[in-house]
Amino acid sequence: MRRGALTVLAGALAIGCGDGGSTEVGSPPTALVPISSAVDTIVTGEATDPPIAVRVEDALGNAVEGAPVRFVIVRGEGELSPGVAVAGRDGVAESVYRAGPTPGEAEIQADIPSAADVPPLRFLVLAEAADTVLLSIVEGDGQQAEAGSQLPLPFSIRAETTSGAPAGGVRLAFDWTPPEEVPDLPEGEETPDLPEAGDTMAVAGPPEPPAPEESEESPALPGALTHDIVMTDADGRGGAVFTLGSRAGDYRIRVFAMGGVYSDTLSFSATALASPGGAVRLDSIGSGRLAAGTRALLYGSGFRPVPDDNQVRIEGTAATVVSATETELTVEVPAFARTCLPEREVGVRVLVGSDASNGLLLPIQPANLRVGLEVGESVTLRGAVEVECVQFAPGAPMEAGEAGEPGAPEAIEPETPEYRIVIGNTGRNASSGLPLRITVRTPADMSGDGPATAVDRGTIDPRIAEAALAGTSRDIGIRARTLAQLVQARISPLRPDGSTAVSAPVPGDTVEYFFSVGPELAATCVDPASTVRGTVRAVGAGVVLVEDLAAPAGGPTEEEWLALARELDGTVLPAVTSYFGPPEDIDRNGRVVILFTPAVNRLGDGEAGVGGFSLPQDLAASGRGEGELSDPDGGICPASNEAEIVYSVSADPDATLGRAISAEDVLRETPALVAHEIQHIVSAGRRVPTSSAGFGAVEEIWLDEALSSLAEEVAGLAALGLPVGDRLTFDRVSETPEELDTFNAYMLGNFRNLGLYMLGLPGAPTVSTDDLDGVGGLQMRGFGWFLLRRLADQAGGDERAFFRSVVGGGQNYGRGIANLERVTGREWANILADVSVALALGAGTLDGGTEAGPRLDAATWDAADVFRSLNQDTDTRSGLPTAIALRTEPLGFETRVLSLDVGPSSVQYFSLASAPGAPGLSLSLETAGGTPAGETAEPLITIVRTK
């Protein structure tokens, strides 16, 4: 029934003006054009007809054959097939969308992965509920079997629309009524006969011993279904297998549609016999266990020697009989590959003609990957097949025994493995968010078709955010916005040899610099910009300290300025330049200027201030003097100082400019600030002047900030005289008050930022954020610092060579993820998985008491020890109003469906503890639309055992 037209949300809307009949094989695609201009609004569970179609064209409007077009559900639920379609000779690629079970909108994006410059198309499909479905029984009614066994056939149902079409995506609910308990009868009355073999089936033969009597110790078992809720497939079919209870009698099983869909109610009957019987008997199976997808040997009697004359049912599914004798059958155990089902007991039964054997309940091991890890080990899964299904074995059996005896619970503590499960998205682009659906199943209910529960995005508590932002935090946004303006305006850097040498000033000199950062927290190249006139307070071998003439009273004394210059010259600059190289020194005075000016103070907003920054535009050609442009066609920046300058707050003890900043604050915070900004200056200086991309060659913001955060760390370690790779504990860096002050000044910020990242999962950013000036920028810094520290610890040898290579970017000035892949020789997915494991091992036990987790193979920090120490007194140590812990979503041993949206290069942590007696558990990962997650996306699952 046609009700509307497919709505095109974005992308090109008109066919190109080229020759629509031409086909160009190998021509680069430049446009996607929508073909599906009229598609029916569909009913839940039904498919689009015709399919969603697009046409791939080149710059002349010709059809491009062979281009892979990806179709992805970016919002809503449902299925797409195929996920990637190859354009045919007419340039058309098609995909069929089948709506999910819930009415609503689904947004489908079509793009070309190999042509990122081609704008994607988005389509909107409206799915309406099927008001009414008709249910009919396919098979499974009227079965009989001995009490406590599994029926051989499933209760199979077909759902149809009122027009007779298969009704896919309909949720069917099962419930049942067990036989009524037979009451005690007065003396003299006989108990009615229970159903026996032969009553309605030909199962004659010697009876077996009766089922054990029920008692208080062994209550009656009511029966169980493999699925309480099932969703009909594309053919409108669904079903579940029933295990009879321990009480003999008649069971009534009812099936009806749910979720707002009306249907009639079907009724199945099943009879539990007091004892089995018949000429066919099943005694045992091979080793007593089954393995899905393998062969098994069945022993018994009454079989027929012709394989096809015997039927074997395993959990209601037919098993192929390979060979047969009268006492043995060799069968192919079904793979049960369609659904990710856990390790469980399944019913096995042999049918010969109309005669059925007794049933056996036996454990079956699924064919999917089974997690078997020792403490500290991990495994990473990628791709559609690997992430489709993961198996966790049942917990250790409960030990029985009298108190005090060997084997009693208090004498033996059964092993309780604990895991951190990392669900990640290895996509790199800001637009590569990944909506996922995680289904966890246990044998008690293997449905997995219920509504999904959304995983909380993990927003930071406002109190924590306020504490984190108090002080300095907003310098990241200043650099990012300034860089964006320089690139957009195509400002030319100053050529390396194009500057005029400037002689070093002496203390007492008055100097003048441009200051072009305004209230919008971005520098501009506007001429004239405001200027700052200052006095040179100290001159060292590598630094010049300048204080604004307009600075409030109460700043450092002359002796303190000199001591600060000595600390920068003696500790900070040598440590940082040994790791990242020396500054470019474009003004050729051999020094970096540190300018302390109230202009920086005024950029603050209450307690959320700006501590300091460097400006990439100071590398731009100003147009003054004889300086030459690196890009002759580029523009100039009159506000450029053509010098390496770090801009810092000035002392303001009376808070005349915003928050109060004492001279002691300035002296304490400046070394770490200089370490941080020197890295930025060095990195930009090695890239911008010599790259044809100019300011576009600057390292990506997240990695540049990570490198500068690490620069603070190495400067702090140098100040403490401590080595890298030595698994430093909090006690090692706080043996004296002076050492604790040094740790707090240089390194506490990195741990706080990492703590904010851990507390903010799964929404915490990693390689990009829209919140550069807020908590998101700090979280990004924390992740990046931990990532680089982990990579450096693994690199071995002299890690300084590793960082110099990262800073430079190589011959092609690599940036971001590609730069790290170049230096490490590893894929990003591997790096992301490894750092997730490192964080799970290094900090994943913080919320589980004081027990230490497994140690990393190499580490500069004992991160768990540091965080535990910070958590002992959060107000005075971490400065955050909460304990720092790795935020995880617990997964219990129960069937549930979770939905979450994982951002690019981001992860979410889950925790799982397999207590003694826990059942088997399966975990499957799909897109929100129900398609295999690895078909159109880049997910990963990393599992690490922490205990």
Side-chain angles (χ1 to χ4, degrees):
M1 143 179 84
R2 302 180 65 84
R3 297 180 180 169
L6 188 71
T7 303
V8 181
L9 297 181
L13 298 177
I15 301 292
C17 58
D19 180 4
S22 301
T23 300
E24 294 294 330
V25 180
S27 297
T30 60
L32 276 176
V33 179
I35 298 298
S36 302
S37 57
V39 174
D40 291 338
T41 296
I42 60 177
V43 173
T44 54
E46 292 189 348
T48 52
D49 184 17
I52 297 173
V54 298
R55 173 182 159 98
V56 185
E57 295 184 352
D58 62 16
L60 299 177
N62 297 315
V64 177
E65 180 184 2
V69 178
R70 176 173 57 184
F71 294 87
V72 181
I73 300 172
V74 295
R75 180 169 59 87
E77 55 183 16
E79 298 180 1
L80 283 166
S81 179
V84 177
V86 178
R89 288 187 54 82
D90 56 359
V92 174
E94 298 178 334
S95 181
V96 174
Y97 167 75
R98 182 175 296 278
T102 306
E105 298 179 352
E107 198 172 340
I108 296 98
Q109 176 173 295
D111 61 18
I112 305 176
S114 59
D117 294 336
V118 175
L121 293 175
R122 289 201 176 188
F123 301 93
L124 188 67
V125 179
L126 305 177
E128 297 181 349
D131 298 330
T132 302
V133 295
L134 304 176
L135 303 182
S136 60
I137 294 175
V138 177
E139 65 174 347
D141 190 24
Q143 298 180 77
Q144 294 183 339
E146 70 276 19
S149 69
Q150 192 174 77
L151 295 176
L153 301 177
F155 297 140
S156 183
I157 304 99
R158 176 180 171 87
E160 296 179 343
T161 65
T162 54
S163 63
V170 176
R171 286 195 176 98
L172 302 177
F174 290 77
D175 69 8
W176 71 93
T177 303
E180 293 187 6
E181 185 175 359
V182 179
D184 294 333
L185 298 177
E187 185 176 352
E189 292 190 24
E190 297 183 358
T191 302
D193 291 337
L194 294 173
E196 294 288 346
D199 286 351
T200 56
M201 293 180 62
V203 289
E208 291 294 315
E213 294 184 1
E214 300 166 11
S215 66
E216 293 183 1
E217 288 74 22
S218 57
L221 300 177
L225 280 160
T226 54
H227 300 73
D228 293 330
I229 299 173
V230 299
M231 186 179 296
T232 56
D233 60 17
D235 297 324
R237 294 198 176 194
V241 181
F242 189 65
T243 298
L244 296 164
S246 58
R247 182 180 297 145
D250 292 330
Y251 289 76
R252 292 288 180 266
I253 297 89
R254 293 175 296 277
V255 188
F256 51 89
M258 59 180 300
V261 179
Y262 174 79
S263 75
D264 49 340
T265 298
L266 293 182
S267 180
F268 289 85
S269 65
T271 301
L273 305 175
S275 62
V280 182
R281 180 173 178 82
L282 179 60
D283 293 327
S284 62
I285 298 180
S287 62
R289 295 181 60 87
L290 298 172
T294 65
R295 291 188 175 184
L297 185 60
L298 281 60
Y299 298 98
S301 59
F303 306 153
R304 292 180 181 175
V306 178
D308 290 346
D309 290 344
N310 306 276
Q311 293 185 53
V312 176
R313 290 279 178 163
I314 301 178
E315 199 176 51
T317 300
T320 301
V321 181
V322 178
S323 63
T325 68
E326 293 181 351
T327 59
E328 295 182 3
L329 296 177
T330 300
V331 301
E332 294 277 359
V333 180
F336 298 101
R338 182 182 176 190
T339 306
C340 181
L341 301 177
E343 189 168 334
R344 62 203 183 277
E345 285 193 333
V346 296
V348 184
R349 196 180 299 271
V350 179
L351 294 88
V352 179
S354 61
D355 205 356
S357 75
N358 58 300
L360 297 180
L361 282 174
L362 295 170
I364 184 170
Q365 182 172 324
N368 319 97
L369 173 70
R370 186 182 187 188
V371 176
L373 301 172
E374 298 297 326
V375 176
E377 292 183 340
S378 65
V379 60
T380 294
L381 312 173
R382 296 172 57 195
V385 176
E386 290 188 349
V387 304
E388 188 175 16
C389 189
V390 182
Q391 300 287 341
F392 290 86
M398 298 290 290
E399 297 288 346
E402 296 295 331
E405 292 183 0
E410 62 268 30
I412 298 177
E413 292 187 7
E415 188 179 61
T416 302
E418 293 186 7
Y419 304 91
R420 293 294 184 269
I421 303 168
V422 183
I423 307 296
N425 173 12
T426 60
R428 308 178 183 209
N429 301 321
S431 61
S432 57
L434 185 56
L436 291 174
R437 178 184 175 99
I438 302 170
T439 303
V440 178
R441 293 182 175 89
T442 58
D445 176 16
M446 299 187 295
S447 302
D449 289 324
T453 301
V455 176
D456 182 20
R457 288 286 296 169
T459 54
I460 291 291
D461 184 282
R463 296 179 303 114
I464 301 174
E466 182 180 356
L469 293 173
T472 61
S473 63
R474 306 170 74 185
D475 52 306
I476 309 178
I478 293 174
R479 284 184 52 80
R481 287 183 285 271
T482 301
L483 271 172
Q485 293 179 7
L486 293 171
V487 173
Q488 183 177 11
R490 195 180 172 182
I491 299 299
S492 173
L494 186 68
R495 209 174 71 184
D497 57 352
S499 60
T500 301
V502 177
S503 60
V506 297
D509 282 356
T510 298
V511 290
E512 188 173 275
Y513 299 100
F514 291 105
F515 187 86
S516 56
V517 180
E520 70 283 358
L521 297 180
T524 67
C525 287
V526 176
D527 183 27
S530 62
T531 57
V532 171
R533 299 183 71 241
T535 299
V536 176
R537 296 300 188 186
V539 178
V543 296
V544 177
L545 307 185
V546 179
E547 184 181 29
D548 194 328
L549 292 175
T557 65
E558 181 179 352
E559 292 75 14
E560 289 171 334
W561 285 120
L562 293 174
L564 177 58
R566 287 194 297 270
E567 181 178 358
L568 297 176
D569 274 341
T571 301
V572 175
L573 264 65
V576 175
T577 57
S578 70
Y579 266 71
F580 307 108
E584 187 67 26
D585 193 22
I586 62 173
D587 56 356
R588 291 187 281 174
N589 70 350
R591 293 165 177 82
V592 174
V593 174
I594 319 297
L595 177 59
F596 301 85
T597 172
V600 176
N601 300 57
R602 295 190 185 97
L603 298 176
D605 181 13
E607 288 300 310
V610 175
F613 48 84
S614 57
L615 293 176
Q617 77 175 34
D618 282 334
L619 300 179
S622 68
R624 299 185 300 272
E626 299 178 357
E628 296 186 21
L629 281 62
S630 294
D631 179 5
D633 297 323
I636 59 172
C637 181
S640 170
N641 286 299
E642 294 187 351
E644 288 86 4
I645 301 177
V646 175
Y647 302 85
S648 170
V649 293
S650 64
D652 183 19
D654 296 328
T656 61
L657 304 168
R659 65 187 181 98
I661 302 174
S662 66
E664 291 74 16
D665 292 334
V666 170
L667 296 171
R668 182 181 62 254
E669 297 171 3
T670 296
L673 169 66
V674 171
H676 186 104
E677 299 304 328
I678 288 293
Q679 190 288 134
H680 285 316
I681 290 172
V682 170
S683 177
R686 290 183 60 179
R687 293 165 172 266
V688 171
T690 56
S691 168
S692 60
F695 287 101
V698 170
E699 182 57 88
E700 291 184 7
I701 294 297
W702 76 270
L703 185 51
D704 205 13
E705 288 299 325
L707 289 164
S708 285
S709 297
L710 193 123
E712 297 179 44
E713 178 203 55
V714 298
L717 291 176
L720 291 171
L722 294 174
V724 297
D726 207 31
R727 205 177 300 274
L728 299 172
T729 63
F730 187 78
D731 288 343
R732 290 278 302 278
V733 296
S734 61
E735 293 179 354
T736 67
E738 293 76 18
E739 289 177 337
L740 179 57
D741 288 343
T742 300
F743 170 81
N744 289 338
Y746 285 98
M747 291 164 282
L748 176 60
N750 288 332
F751 280 98
R752 277 169 48 112
N753 292 342
L754 178 58
L756 291 171
Y757 168 78
M758 292 159 55
L759 291 168
L761 290 167
T766 53
V767 300
S768 64
T769 179
D770 296 328
D771 186 30
L772 289 172
D773 293 322
V775 172
L778 300 180
Q779 292 170 320
M780 186 176 69
R781 275 182 174 175
F783 168 83
W785 166 70
F786 187 78
L787 169 68
L788 288 182
R789 175 39 63 202
R790 173 64 176 163
L791 292 177
D793 287 340
Q794 290 180 304
D798 189 344
E799 68 180 29
R800 292 175 295 185
F802 169 84
F803 284 110
R804 286 203 179 201
S805 181
V806 174
V807 167
Q811 293 181 347
N812 296 320
Y813 302 101
R815 305 170 70 236
I817 292 172
N819 190 18
L820 291 182
E821 289 180 324
R822 176 189 64 84
V823 177
T824 62
R826 297 162 60 185
E827 291 185 355
W828 176 239
N830 175 277
I831 295 173
L832 186 63
D834 178 78
V835 75
S836 301
V837 169
L839 193 57
L841 294 178
T845 58
L846 294 176
D847 53 356
T850 58
E851 181 178 352
R855 291 157 63 95
L856 294 173
D857 50 0
T860 291
W861 295 96
D862 185 337
D865 176 85
V866 174
F867 279 125
R868 286 195 183 94
S869 297
L870 296 178
N871 287 345
Q872 288 176 7
D873 187 355
T874 58
D875 290 338
T876 60
R877 289 191 175 179
S878 73
L880 298 177
T882 186
I884 295 171
L886 182 66
R887 185 180 182 276
T888 64
E889 178 78 17
L891 292 177
F893 278 80
E894 60 181 353
T895 296
R896 60 191 301 206
V897 182
L898 300 172
S899 64
L900 69 158
D901 194 340
V902 187
S905 298
S906 297
V907 299
Q908 160 69 339
Y909 289 83
F910 297 84
S911 58
L912 178 68
S914 182
L921 180 143
S922 66
L923 185 149
S924 60
L925 191 63
E926 301 172 317
T927 65
T931 58
E935 181 178 332
T936 58
E938 301 176 84
L940 65 80
I941 300 177
T942 294
I943 304 167
V944 54
R945 183 170 173 182
T946 58
K947 182 179 178 182

